[in-house]
Amino acid sequence: MSTIDPNAELFDTPDGGSSVPSGPPPSSPPPTLDENNTPVGGGGGGGGTLHLSVTDPQQIGEGRNAHTFYRIDVRPNQYADTIASVRRRYSDFRWLFQRLQEERPGAIIPIIPHTKAFQIEKRFSEELIEERRVSCETFLRRVQIHPELEGAASISSFFSPDAEVFEQAKKDHPEMEGFISEDGTTSSAKEKVKHFFVKAGIKAKVARGVDLEETPDGAQVDEVEQYLSALETHVKALAKATLYLVDVSKDTSTNMHELGQSLFGLHQTYDPDTATSEDDGSGSSSNNNSNVKSKNPSLKTISNIFASLSAINKVKYDDNYAKVSKPIHDIQDSIKAARIALKRRKDHAITYNTFLQQIKNRKATLEKLNQKNATSPQATTENQIVSTQQLLDESNRASKVALAALEKVTQRVFREMDRFKHSVDAEMRLLYVNHARVQVDYSRQLDVEWNKLLPNGGDVGGVNGRVGGSGSGADDGVLSKEAEMLMI
């Protein structure tokens, strides 16, 4: 793997000019899915949507300081020339994911599957690098067409050709952030600490099952949570059963391969078609039945047939994995993303309730101070009353801001869930249609091979394993190129 200069930008054109996009790729409404369960519109060039691709992973540095940069190309459409490129690390994609959570709370941000590799040799293995490349490319394409993410500042920073702009954005918003106070109106450290403990108390109440003070849409939010819980349960059961069916082909391929090898070994110990009477030790007076040729295929032929069956099942598994296993894992990741969106909404509800509790506390403090001042007026008490009233006013203003933010996030969650429900339904339908197509396509090939074991080939006619009969397709019964290569 070659090394590159991480600060070298890739926007310069041959004539010395610049071909830099003015901003991030534009967003468009969610596309439909193609037969491979991939969003249509992420690179078709229609509707003004640019085509994004993540390619050319290259290593920088050595040892524990080594890391991989990926090249992101932007094109007007899939087959056009690149108009802009930047290089980003895998951690940069993770940074974008986290920033989008902060900038667009309540949005269902596509999840980047994360595989940890602690050993250096695994971190730079071709398999892991390719897995991350595909994951990052899928992530960017889904972000690009996400209607709730249009105009997000982090996307502009991520695609910026100016390395300093992006580095400054990461410095301003580190990937792992600690406690962020929502109480932007209180200036004293003492009040920030109080705010923290009030919020901790609200969280403790939530943990004990105490209901938060909700907006009028609280009941609808509960329905969303119930839907996600039911969906998660059903999809988990579906995934377990479906992935088992997919893995059957892999296990069958392994077992048939072993069967074929053992049968071929058995054939080498004795082959009646080539054995002479002396090999039998029976001489010329042996039973005439030993000279009768069997109608059943030889062990060598059976061995070759099992090799073919093994190869077909292996290719069937690979096809099923791409069209069934991966999509069902994607659906599970989408459910996790929806859970995160709902949690972000709950965080805002906790913040709103924190200020409500703060208002109650400060009202109680103010009432005590007023009572004290009524019985024993003192300048100190009056100053405390003025100070507490100011804090109460701040809490009232902050609660209104928090409520507005909560309502905004809630409406975003509702919009997202409407799209999410339709998307999951479409993906599940397509998944099982594709599963059926795989079963039909490979069942024809498997039937042809199994029929070869039957006397006279069963009901199969023709040459080269083609299925006889007028209803067969041109490719029925013919081994796929992938299966033929596996046999070789």
Side-chain angles (χ1 to χ4, degrees), residues 165-240:
V165 171
F166 183 52
E167 290 303 319
Q168 187 62 46
K170 290 195 294 182
K171 187 179 296 184
D172 293 340
H173 305 284
E175 183 178 356
M176 298 301 294
E177 293 184 337
F179 170 73
I180 303 175
S181 174
E182 296 86 356
D183 190 3
T185 58
T186 55
S187 56
S188 73
K190 182 179 179 181
E191 289 302 323
K192 288 184 178 181
V193 172
K194 285 183 179 179
H195 179 85
F196 173 80
F197 282 109
V198 170
K199 186 171 184 177
I202 296 294
K203 288 184 176 180
K205 289 182 179 179
V206 172
R208 293 196 300 268
V210 178
D211 293 333
L212 297 174
E213 184 166 333
E214 270 290 0
T215 61
D217 298 317
Q220 191 174 347
V221 173
D222 290 339
E223 291 178 3
V224 171
E225 290 182 344
Q226 292 170 7
Y227 162 75
L228 278 179
S229 295
L231 178 66
E232 195 169 25
T233 300
H234 291 308
V235 170
K236 184 177 180 180
L238 285 171
K240 181 179 179 181

Side-chain angles (χ1 to χ4, degrees), residues 242-281:
T242 304
L243 295 177
Y244 171 79
L245 292 176
V246 171
D247 289 341
V248 163
S249 297
K250 184 178 181 180
D251 296 337
T252 301
S253 173
T254 301
N255 291 331
M256 287 186 167
H257 177 74
E258 294 175 355
L259 271 173
Q261 285 187 320
S262 297
L263 286 167
F264 187 77
L266 190 60
H267 151 75
Q268 289 181 315
T269 61
Y270 173 68
D271 182 6
D273 293 337
T274 59
T276 62
S277 57
E278 286 78 6
D279 294 333
D280 294 338

Side-chain angles (χ1 to χ4, degrees), residues 264-324:
F264 187 77
L266 190 60
H267 151 75
Q268 289 181 315
T269 61
Y270 173 68
D271 182 6
D273 293 337
T274 59
T276 62
S277 57
E278 286 78 6
D279 294 333
D280 294 338
S282 55
S284 59
S285 60
S286 62
N287 192 327
N288 290 334
N289 289 335
S290 63
N291 297 322
V292 178
K293 190 173 182 179
S294 173
K295 294 181 180 180
N296 295 323
S298 67
L299 292 180
K300 180 180 180 181
T301 300
I302 296 174
S303 169
N304 289 336
I305 291 172
F306 272 103
S308 299
L309 290 169
S310 173
I312 294 171
N313 274 287
K314 177 61 171 66
V315 177
K316 178 184 177 183
Y317 167 77
D318 292 339
D319 208 4
N320 254 328
Y321 181 83
K323 295 179 179 178
V324 179

Side-chain angles (χ1 to χ4, degrees), residues 1 14 36-37 48 129 161-162 171 181 227 239 274 276 300 306 370 399 403 417 424 433 466-467 486:
M1 185 177 295
N36 294 320
N37 212 43
I129 289 175
D162 190 338
K171 187 179 296 184
S181 174
Y227 162 75
T274 59
T276 62
K300 180 180 180 181
F306 272 103
N370 284 327
S399 68
L403 177 59
M417 290 309 302
V424 169
V433 167
R466 291 187 181 272
V467 180
L486 281 173

Side-chain angles (χ1 to χ4, degrees), residues 406-467:
L406 173 59
E407 290 175 342
K408 184 178 181 180
V409 172
T410 301
Q411 293 307 311
R412 181 179 288 132
V413 167
F414 290 158
R415 292 194 302 270
E416 284 285 66
M417 290 309 302
D418 285 341
R419 288 186 286 263
F420 177 77
K421 290 177 181 178
H422 286 93
S423 175
V424 169
D425 178 73
E427 289 173 10
M428 292 297 292
R429 295 185 188 202
L430 181 61
L431 186 153
Y432 285 104
V433 167
N434 283 338
H435 188 44
R437 284 197 181 112
V438 171
Q439 305 313 307
V440 171
D441 291 345
Y442 289 96
S443 290
R444 293 169 180 166
Q445 296 184 42
L446 292 169
D447 285 346
V448 169
E449 296 302 314
W450 281 117
N451 272 293
K452 290 178 182 178
L453 286 173
L454 303 179
N456 300 321
D459 297 329
V460 179
V463 294
N464 296 329
R466 291 187 181 272
V467 180

